[in-house]
Amino acid sequence: MNRAFALSSIALCATIVWMFWNDYARSWKSHQRTFNTLAYEQSVHEETRIREEVEQKYGPAISKLEQALAEARKEQDANRLNEISQKKESILGAWQQTEMNFKNAKSELDAVKSKYEAAKNDPAMAAEAETWKRRYEEWVTRFLGPDGLSGIKGDFEKIDGEWKGLVAQEEEILSKAKGIEKEIAILKKQIATVERKRSKLAPDVRKDILAAPVVDMLANPLQIQQTMLPGLTEDMNFSVTMRIDRCTTCHLAIDKKGWDTMWNAEKKAWEPVPQPFRSHPNLNLYLSENSPHAVSKFGCTVCHAGSGRSVDFVTAAHTPRDFARAHELEEKLHHEHDPALQAELEKTQTWQWKQKYGWSLPHYFDTPMYPSQHYEAACTKCHSADIRVTEAPRLNRGKELFERQGCFGCHPNAESMDLRQPGPDLRGVKSKVSEAWAYHWVMSPKSFRPTTTMPRLFNLSNTNAPEDQARNQATVQSILHYLFTKSNKARYPEPPAGDAEKGKELLEKVGCLGCHVVGEDADALKNRGTDWTSFGPNLSGVGSKLNPGWIYAWVKDPAQYFPDTRMPNLRLGDEEAADITAYLMTLKQPDWDADPKHQSLPAVDPGVLGRTVLGFLQAKFPATESEAKLKEMNQEQQLLFLGETSIRRQGCFGCHMISGFENEKKIGVELSGSAAIGSKDLAKIDFGFEHQIPHTVQAWLDAKLEDPRRFDRGREIAFEDRLRMPQFDLTPEDRESIVTYLLSLVKEKLPREYMSTTTPDKELVFKARRLIQQSNCAGCHRIGVFPVRIQMPDEDSLDPLASETMWSARHLFLDGREQIAMTPVDESLQMKEFLKAGKLTEALRAGLAERVKGLAERLAGRPGMEKIAEQARTALADIEANDPEKMARSVSSLQTALRTRKSELGPDDLLDSQEMSVLLAKNAFVTYPVMKRLLRNEPPIHSTLVYGYQEGGIAQFLNLEAGDNKAPPLLRGQGKRVQPDWLFRFLKAPVTKEIRPWLEVRMPTFGFTDEEANLLVRYFSLIASEKFVDDGTTDPFPFASPEAIEPARAKEMIAAGENIFQAQQCFKCHPSPGQAMPSNPAPPFEIIGGRIDRDWFLKWVHNSKDFDPNTGMPQFGKPNGALSPEEIREVREFVWSLFKPPVKK
Amino acid sequence: MLPEAFKEAANHLLSSAAITVSLVIAFFFLCLWQYRKVTKPVVALPLSLGLIVLFCLSISDPNFFIIISKSDNVPIVLMLVLVGGCTWWGLRQAALNDERLEKGLPPMEADNREDDKVYVWPDLVYAEFIALIICSIVLIVWSILLAAPLEQPANPARTPNPSKAPWYFLGLQEMLVYFDPWIAGVVLPTLIIIGLGAIPYIDKNPKGNGYYTFKERPFAVTIYMFGFLVLWVFLVYMGTFMRGPNWNFFGPYEYWDIHKLEPLTSVNLSEYFYMRLLGRAMPANFLVREAPGLLVLAVYFGLLPLVLAKTCFRKFYPSMGFLRYMVMINLFLGVVGMVAKMYLRWIFNLKYIVAFPEFFFNI
């Protein structure tokens, strides 16, 4: 018994110790310890670095000072110093004693004095007053002495004077050396600072003791870190608590700068900081206190989701980015062993997390963290009012795809409520295409036009059995029968004959190519038509699809056929329209035409039709009634019935306007609001028999988009009840973007103070951008400065085993603003250094080689450019040879050469522009300031935002020589450049010919409403204002109050202006109406007064290149230019005098 | 490790509640009937070893493993071993004692030897204290190894499937399948408590006090053990291991498929009577409609006790007196009726014997 008791007691003690240890040894503590060690190591390195830097910078100065110090010390009179110090020694005791006496006596005197004063002024104490007076006087005598000199005070002052004298003498001797010492200390101040920092971080036994078990309750240096999120709560059922994020307990440097890279003292190299200690990317935007997303307000889980209260890797609900793939691999490996798959599995983040942290799919948390590819989904919680979120390219792309592909046609979604149906109007389809063409198109749209957004609806994975295929055929036939029967337009009459050659020329010139592509369009395939180049359908093959009558009527006025079309009216004349029609009819799709089966409609199989109709009837009516109804119908009626039913079932009216379906309800599942797809309860999602799909919402959405009918697999379902979402044939990247967007549609509502502030201005900009996007203005114009984000590979998607260069490439990003601030000279110097240092990665080298190669080819044929072309070829050879020294030399001399001929070259042909750094960044993720940091071995800062120019403009005009003004005008600063009322009128009724008579490209009539035109006018003035006032220091035309010009002076000015006008030969480029068109024409002067802003005119004439680097207009006023500010003003008066406002009717 | 054919057969056989419960009841009565043989180590040891080996082999089956390894289910496995062991111990003692009694010897417990008596302190309290320490160790170690995670606040809109009561209430939860909530959740537990409380008043037989015996108390021991082992422990086991998503019945090696669909074709007794047997429409008057069920109940609880008093329990009735007999027999019939109702559901898809949806009164 005793033995049992002893043993069990010992076991209990051991268990309790184990319990304590278990509670004590938490993973976050070891993270904090590791971090402390890292921080200390980094501080040691920082100290060394600063020491070296100080040594380098002030080394000579310091050694000089030290020398001087030594000399000064040598010069000191040692004997004299010795003597003084002996003297000090000898009087030290007396001095201290006297000082003490003096202080005591003074305090006694003060006390007696105060008592005496009190007694004197209080009648009740009159008796004592005398005594106090006497005592006071006694003390005064004692303190000052009878003669006022020999008392305690006098004694002290005497010896104190002696002491101070000695000290002063000593100091005088030492002063020189001390001064030098002080100077040295100032130079070494930086060292002292880092030394302090280092010593604070140094390992310390005291800290270890405080962190020891049990003692740690006092003042543990290892603490759980948490952020309480103001205004956010968690519903704990029966009580509401504050929302708390403890992520920073392990992610200790998440909001600190500089924790991207750290110095590895052993390898002597910078290397990535291991997780969880890395800084958050782009701290200017996230987490730091003055960023818009300060950690104290937003915490972590607001954006990342997950369990903020948990301090354990698994229960915090981390989600790996490749869980779906890993799950699929595991499923496959479960059935058969395959070393290749196993190897792939072992590379996945999921697998690695499982090994490292024992990760498993978080079952205990409804909202696990977003995997890295879907982070941006959280932006919408606060940025729901923003039509596009600037910093969330994937989310934006997802939303754009959602809109372009017409997802909202079937799925109700609050954000897409006001969008037009994405497909063309089918109410007059009979006039447009043949039934045979339409049949084969619906069966497989992409086989006619690979870039179309029209999805496939038939013969998909749940409807491709032989019997189903026959039913599909009957269904499509009946749908078309319905559409063609209900068509409200018959065929258009044959158009007048046109000249196809002339039509082709006109089509290329007049502006059609701003939205349409003719021929191969690899980009559009890749981008799925979300960019401006392929805004409208690719015109290849339209000759095989359309009839001339329809084309003729359409190009003349698209709205007569399709009132809501986005295609504007180019105001083509009859002859022009006929020519274009003739040309378009020559654009055949030979493969399509060659296939005989495309020419005819297959015959209707009455049996299949009957069975299909019966199936749908039975879904509505009892069996016998259905049979009876079927018997009553003839084939025509059957086709119409099945057509109508199938259109309703497939939801064709979601994208197309169809007669009889104008007010139909959308057929798809609601995606926003209370049924928000991003907050969907997993239990409510049907995974069917698709066991390889892991049970997460994002995996399901992705699988659904990949094969929308897959969840019918293995089921016994009637033809009428099968899944009906069409197949969009999206690429995996596009699916991922759409999933990001879908996940962003959540139920969760954040308090008002979290919502992105929607100022009226901001709202206006968003609305206008949407209009600009929908009108595809960028198809022809380049518009304004937009922040362009260069998309980096996901932080996590990099192979952790990949080379270090690849890693550094990812992190080497800097805020774009800094890039712009750098001068070109500085850039090329850095470029040279960078190349010389041999730090070029393969990707970067390839990018550079491609760039230089293109340059060499372009310049080769240009007269006067032979030498530069030769230089480019040399540089290319050096780049290809990968010789750092030579490369650095030849590339940098090429850069210099290019810069000297800048005015003759297009923007693409410069190698040192900001654009170049963007290119480098695209290829190798390195930018100049980062290179600089690399070269200095400084830890780089990362960020991914670069300010660039949004692309735009008709492709064929982009390569024009500078100054060639055949392209549609650049719209930079447009709002300040022209008078708003003019812009309004112009938008409503464009008159290209009056302003730029030489232009063949035409501003089309968009049919903007007054509201829309006003929106654009306001938008342009809003985005133009910054540029207009930025150059305040050198601007010779600051804004000034309007001065009243006397009529006489005005006349003088106009006359002077006319003289200058003649002298500068302005009319050579700006012709008057009726004058012959010069070679390099510019808008006529007569209309400028009614169009251009008066203030802007001055600035433009002064320095036109400031606003448009490619303009052909000379810079008249710039420093040392031809005209003084006053002269420019005179020219203005002259020009304005020419303008005759039209008489209002 | 187990042959698939065996697993399939086991799943096939045991995924029927009727068969599972019948096998258990048969085994229970077999053990009691042959208790002297079964409790002999020669029989009991191989039997329990066989069960343990089967259990261990079953662990290799992933579906089986998922269920038994759930943190909440581990103690139930342990409980089965403990209950089995203790029952064996009691029955074994009873068997030995009964043999002794037959030979005219006193039971082992009454075979008084002086040195057999020990003091409360230290002997009893000391042992209890050690037991307490060991329990503490087990609990601490267990909770360390279990490492219960921090979960999110409960979401009332999203309950787990299957939603299970705490393990000790699983037997009552099982009753919810066969009875209205107010019967299964209110009346039955109350009856159980009253019945347990009434035992000393019903059973005045001093035999078996202080010693194990079966032969002297066959009815009392059987009825109690049936209630405890079959209706409580086994139903706890069933609720834990055999009731899966949507409270469907699963075989031991079956995957708990959330989509498993079982036909819901239960029919009330009245419907059987009028529609199937008489082939006529249901009477509109609910009293007439439920008359057959009410009659059955009246016969079962009114007539049957009297019949039993004259037949099976003719020995008990005179010794117990009317009142005590009626209390005992009604409790007894309640227990039997409960099991009978379960069987009626499983075999005849009988929903309710008496169904008054008008008053939420369904039996």
Side-chain angles (χ1 to χ4, degrees), chain A residues 1-2 5 236-237 366 681, chain B residues 126 129 144 152-155 158:
Chain A
M1 207 66 145
N2 287 336
F5 177 65
M236 301 294 232
N237 303 316
D366 284 349
D681 184 353
Chain B
Y126 204 18
F129 189 55
I144 291 174
Q152 67 186 347
N155 182 350
R158 203 182 146 184

Side-chain angles (χ1 to χ4, degrees), chain A residues 444-689:
Chain A
S444 173
K446 286 200 172 56
S447 64
F448 182 80
R449 183 187 295 143
T451 51
T452 185
T453 51
M454 165 98 177
R456 287 187 290 139
L457 294 109
F458 299 97
N459 299 339
L460 300 179
S461 68
N462 67 344
T463 50
N464 55 8
E467 165 66 12
D468 295 339
Q469 287 190 7
R471 281 172 183 234
N472 290 337
Q473 189 179 326
T475 309
V476 177
Q477 274 167 337
S478 55
I479 289 177
L480 293 176
H481 189 81
Y482 180 89
L483 292 176
F484 278 73
T485 313
K486 302 271 172 179
S487 173
N488 57 10
K489 281 196 177 66
R491 289 237 160 189
Y492 288 92
E494 279 296 308
D499 181 342
E501 275 299 306
K502 270 163 84 184
K504 179 174 193 300
E505 214 172 294
L506 185 63
L507 183 122
E508 281 165 6
K509 276 183 193 159
V510 82
C512 306
L513 299 184
C515 300
H516 296 280
V517 176
V518 182
E520 283 286 308
D521 189 6
D523 270 359
L525 262 184
K526 206 170 68 200
N527 301 332
R528 294 198 72 82
T530 58
D531 55 355
W532 46 267
T533 50
S534 47
F535 183 77
N538 190 323
L539 296 178
S540 312
V542 284
S544 302
K545 170 186 174 185
L546 302 167
N547 60 73
W550 185 87
I551 300 181
Y552 180 76
W554 171 260
V555 293
K556 280 192 78 174
D557 181 11
Q560 52 77 27
Y561 176 79
F562 182 4
D564 275 345
T565 184
R566 298 221 172 97
M567 172 133 157
N569 187 342
L570 273 165
R571 303 184 302 279
L572 295 173
D574 292 350
E575 198 186 325
E576 288 172 325
D579 291 345
I580 283 185
T581 309
Y583 171 59
L584 289 179
M585 282 310 293
T586 65
L587 298 174
K588 299 283 183 195
Q589 162 77 277
D591 294 346
W592 181 275
D593 292 343
D595 192 339
K597 81 170 195 244
H598 284 154
Q599 304 314 320
S600 58
L601 204 59
V604 178
D605 180 336
V608 178
L609 179 65
R611 279 202 297 283
T612 318
V613 169
L614 186 64
F616 282 107
L617 280 171
Q618 281 174 342
K620 257 188 183 170
F621 306 104
T624 41
E625 203 182 328
S626 307
E627 296 272 2
K629 275 189 194 279
L630 181 68
K631 271 188 198 137
E632 278 167 24
M633 289 186 202
N634 59 25
Q635 181 161 328
E636 167 75 15
Q637 284 166 324
Q638 288 184 5
L639 281 170
L640 278 179
F641 169 81
L642 184 59
E644 194 181 344
T645 315
S646 302
I647 289 172
R648 185 163 290 118
R649 195 180 117 68
Q650 295 293 344
C652 310
F653 51 83
C655 294
H656 301 281
M657 193 62 99
I658 296 175
S659 315
F661 290 90
E662 286 82 356
N663 298 315
E664 207 70 21
K665 264 175 81 181
K666 299 188 174 189
I667 62 164
V669 170
E670 162 120 40
L671 297 178
S672 60
S674 59
I677 187 81
S679 308
K680 195 104 176 167
D681 184 353
L682 259 181
K684 288 185 182 146
I685 294 180
D686 177 16
F687 284 84
F689 293 95

Side-chain angles (χ1 to χ4, degrees), chain A residues 806-935:
Chain A
M806 187 59 193
W807 167 80
S808 43
R810 183 169 55 79
H811 270 260
L812 307 186
F813 248 88
L814 205 69
D815 199 315
R817 267 161 289 211
E818 203 169 315
Q819 281 181 23
I820 291 172
M822 293 187 65
T823 65
V825 182
D826 196 12
E827 276 178 17
S828 72
L829 273 181
Q830 293 302 336
M831 183 79 172
K832 193 171 177 183
E833 274 180 73
F834 181 78
L835 294 173
K836 224 160 133 185
K839 295 203 178 219
L840 210 56
T841 61
E842 265 315 298
L844 177 58
R845 203 161 65 83
L848 193 61
E850 195 187 315
R851 182 92 175 92
V852 175
K853 196 174 164 194
L855 203 75
E857 279 166 8
R858 272 202 300 285
L859 296 180
R862 299 258 290 269
M865 295 280 179
E866 294 84 3
K867 214 183 142 212
I868 299 190
E870 180 55 40
Q871 272 179 310
R873 279 194 292 277
T874 320
L876 181 63
D878 290 339
I879 294 166
E880 276 166 0
N882 200 8
D883 178 339
E885 280 286 333
K886 274 190 180 172
M887 204 183 341
R889 214 172 321 125
S890 57
V891 170
S892 119
S893 66
L894 174 65
Q895 278 183 288
T896 320
L898 287 169
R899 201 160 43 246
T900 51
R901 308 284 293 270
K902 196 171 176 178
S903 56
E904 299 160 57
L905 293 166
D908 285 355
D909 293 339
L910 288 173
L911 209 53
D912 53 0
S913 61
Q914 180 202 337
E915 190 263 351
M916 182 60 202
S917 73
V918 171
L919 168 103
L920 288 176
K922 267 184 186 158
N923 284 296
F925 327 116
V926 172
T927 56
Y928 294 115
V930 171
M931 289 177 205
K932 211 157 76 182
R933 288 173 166 272
L934 256 189
L935 293 168

Side-chain angles (χ1 to χ4, degrees), chain A residues 1-2 4-5 8-9 11-12 15-16 18-19 22 235-237 309-310 315 364-367 681-682, chain B residues 122-123 126-127 129-130 133-134 136-137 140-141 144-145 149-158 259:
Chain A
M1 207 66 145
N2 287 336
F5 177 65
S8 59
S9 304
L12 183 63
T15 330
I16 286 171
W18 183 19
M19 182 180 80
N22 195 270
D235 185 5
M236 301 294 232
N237 303 316
R309 284 172 185 261
S310 184
T315 55
Y364 299 118
F365 218 77
D366 284 349
T367 53
D681 184 353
L682 259 181
Chain B
D123 301 85
Y126 204 18
F129 189 55
I130 292 170
I133 289 175
I134 291 169
S136 305
I137 294 173
I140 292 171
V141 171
I144 291 174
L145 295 180
L150 180 68
E151 298 183 25
Q152 67 186 347
N155 182 350
R158 203 182 146 184
H259 303 296

Side-chain angles (χ1 to χ4, degrees), chain A residues 260-280:
Chain A
D260 319 298
T261 40
M262 58 176 204
W263 180 254
N264 186 323
E266 278 172 32
K267 289 194 205 151
K268 299 220 178 307
W270 289 102
E271 58 178 36
V273 172
Q275 286 291 26
F277 308 128
R278 211 171 290 161
S279 309
H280 196 283

